Amino acid sequence: MDESDNHGMIDAGEATRRLRVSFATLYSYVSRGLIHSEAQPGNTRTRLYSTADIERLIWQKTLARKPSAAAATALSWGLPVLETRISQIQNGMLTYRGRNILELADASTLEDVAMLLWNAPVNPFADARFTHADIPGWSEAAERLRDDPVIDRAITLMSFVRRVLKDADDTSVLAAQLVQAMAAAVVTGTPDVERPLHEALAACWHAPAAADVIRRVLVCGAEHELNTSSFSVRVAVSTDVDLATCLLTGLTAYCGYEHSGVVLETRELLRQVMAEDDPTPLIASLTRTGVPVAGFFHRLYPDGAPRAREILSHLRVPAPVARTIEAIGQITGLKPYIELALVIVEQVYHLLVGAAEAMFITGQSVGWISHAMEQKMSGIRIRPRASAGR
């Protein structure tokens, strides 16, 4: 059957083949709510099954093939291994300390979100004034790294910051200075930190029209539960390192494929899409392999990621890209994730290549700091025991 005509749904034969189960087991999955099923249009006697749900089950079954997987999943998309009140993902929605991310993105700045996540009674950015002139070695390194990838530049420059911004009477003001430093590290200009950071970044990129969308990106990217980089930050701070070192830890974790690598692949995908008069053959080749397309799908959001929806709803998405998103959704049932939204913002507003990563890192620095603060207050050292396995 032609899956593209059924909006990410496949028939029972194809579903059982992919899952390697009997029809009875497939029907059991449906009855237990693990796989969505609906009648085939024009043929009520035949039912279709959600491709996204099936792919999620395949992934879960792959983990379960190893006897040690039951314990291992506690550290791999399993139950939370740490308690946190910072953010939660439940029923497909992300909240910051109980506040819906969509409400925050509609009116808040990154500075507002920092106050919320850090439990700061007053705005710490009002007294924070980061200036790179106070950081020995910054100016020379920034000039030398001007054309380097954003993440590499940020790691190098923040290592200079770590030597200077270590202690402060007010932790929240120090944290605000570090966020300002991160914003300065990811752009080639000098952001005016007396302005809200979304306006400062837009000015550095000579794109004032993008300021409000950048604000939404910063808010949406500030925090995402115990993702890999945030967990890395918590491990580091449990050994009693300073906040600047925690940010460096988050940055190095961000270097991996699961974060920055997906952004690079997504940028290449959009380059190919925009180069084609008709992206249909390209889409067919991307979806034929069964491997999720870069920038689409997240295991915690089977019905689509709210952060991506929020950002894309305030953009005029180029027609070829919009057609690609729709076609991939129809064929696979997969929805855009935040990496795709970030790269589209970068391209729609003609921002410098790397702006997608720069926006995400700047926003995420607020979340990394909130995790560092919470973990430090807990007094718990994160030190799992090893298993010999089999």
Side-chain angles (χ1 to χ4, degrees), residues 288-301:
R288 192 178 297 122
T289 62
V291 177
V293 182
F296 288 81
F297 183 57
H298 193 285
R299 297 181 185 106
L300 296 177
Y301 301 114

Side-chain angles (χ1 to χ4, degrees), residues 210 213-214 216-218 220-221 262-263 265-267 269-270 293-297 305-318 321 325 335-351 355-357 359-360:
V213 170
I214 293 173
R216 294 176 190 274
V217 169
L218 295 179
C220 288
V262 175
V263 176
E265 282 202 7
T266 302
R267 189 178 285 121
L269 168 65
L270 292 195
V293 182
F296 288 81
F297 183 57
R307 299 191 296 174
R309 283 200 305 270
E310 164 64 20
I311 296 167
L312 292 175
S313 68
H314 291 86
L315 291 176
R316 180 174 292 178
V317 180
V321 178
I325 293 173
K335 306 290 179 60
Y337 190 51
I338 191 167
E339 286 90 358
L340 181 65
L342 293 175
V343 176
I344 292 175
V345 170
E346 180 184 276
Q347 296 193 357
V348 165
Y349 289 100
H350 305 290
L351 307 180
E357 295 94 327
M359 290 183 289
F360 189 83

Side-chain angles (χ1 to χ4, degrees), residues 62-347:
T62 300
L63 283 180
R65 290 191 185 114
K66 294 183 178 180
S68 59
T73 51
L75 291 172
S76 181
W77 297 91
L79 296 174
V81 295
L82 292 170
E83 289 187 3
T84 177
R85 297 181 180 276
I86 297 170
S87 68
Q88 297 290 325
I89 301 169
Q90 293 181 326
N91 301 318
M93 182 48 63
L94 172 63
T95 57
Y96 295 172
R97 296 200 184 278
R99 297 277 305 277
N100 189 306
I101 182 65
L102 300 182
E103 295 177 7
L104 292 169
D106 199 43
S108 300
T109 63
L110 182 63
E111 290 83 354
D112 296 329
V113 168
M115 288 181 63
L116 173 67
L117 294 181
W118 300 346
N119 280 325
V122 296
N123 182 6
F125 288 85
D127 296 321
R129 289 293 181 273
F130 172 79
T131 172
H132 65 76
D134 295 334
I135 310 298
W138 175 291
S139 297
E140 296 82 359
E143 181 60 31
R144 188 170 65 251
L145 300 170
R146 174 176 290 273
D147 297 323
D148 280 33
V150 164
I151 185 68
D152 295 344
R153 190 164 67 243
I155 289 173
T156 301
L157 294 177
M158 291 303 291
S159 68
F160 288 108
V161 172
R162 174 180 172 272
R163 302 174 188 175
V164 179
L165 298 183
K166 285 191 172 184
D167 303 303
D169 294 332
D170 189 328
T171 302
S172 294
V173 173
L174 171 62
Q177 286 181 294
L178 289 171
V179 173
Q180 292 174 341
M182 186 71 80
V186 297
V187 297
T188 54
T190 303
D192 180 0
V193 296
E194 294 192 14
R195 304 171 68 177
L197 283 176
H198 64 277
E199 294 182 5
L201 291 177
C204 283
W205 290 322
H206 307 289
D212 188 64
V213 170
I214 293 173
R215 179 186 63 77
R216 294 176 190 274
V217 169
L218 295 179
V219 170
C220 288
E223 170 53 16
H224 201 237
E225 219 184 53
L226 291 167
N227 63 15
T228 307
S229 56
S230 294
F231 183 73
S232 299
V233 166
R234 296 189 78 122
V235 173
V237 81
S238 75
T239 68
D240 202 27
V241 300
D242 57 88
L243 281 181
T245 301
C246 288
L247 290 183
L248 277 170
T249 303
L251 283 169
T252 52
Y254 182 81
C255 286
Y257 173 78
E258 290 294 331
H259 281 318
S260 62
V262 175
V263 176
L264 292 174
E265 282 202 7
T266 302
R267 189 178 285 121
E268 174 59 19
L269 168 65
L270 292 195
R271 186 195 67 77
Q272 293 180 46
V273 167
M274 295 299 291
E276 298 288 340
D277 293 330
D278 179 9
T280 304
L282 172 63
I283 295 166
S285 67
L286 289 169
T287 57
R288 192 178 297 122
T289 62
V291 177
V293 182
F296 288 81
F297 183 57
H298 193 285
R299 297 181 185 106
L300 296 177
Y301 301 114
D303 297 321
R307 299 191 296 174
R309 283 200 305 270
E310 164 64 20
I311 296 167
L312 292 175
S313 68
H314 291 86
L315 291 176
R316 180 174 292 178
V317 180
V321 178
R323 288 198 300 271
T324 300
I325 293 173
E326 182 180 7
I328 289 175
Q330 289 178 340
I331 295 170
T332 67
L334 303 181
K335 306 290 179 60
Y337 190 51
I338 191 167
E339 286 90 358
L340 181 65
L342 293 175
V343 176
I344 292 175
V345 170
E346 180 184 276
Q347 296 193 357

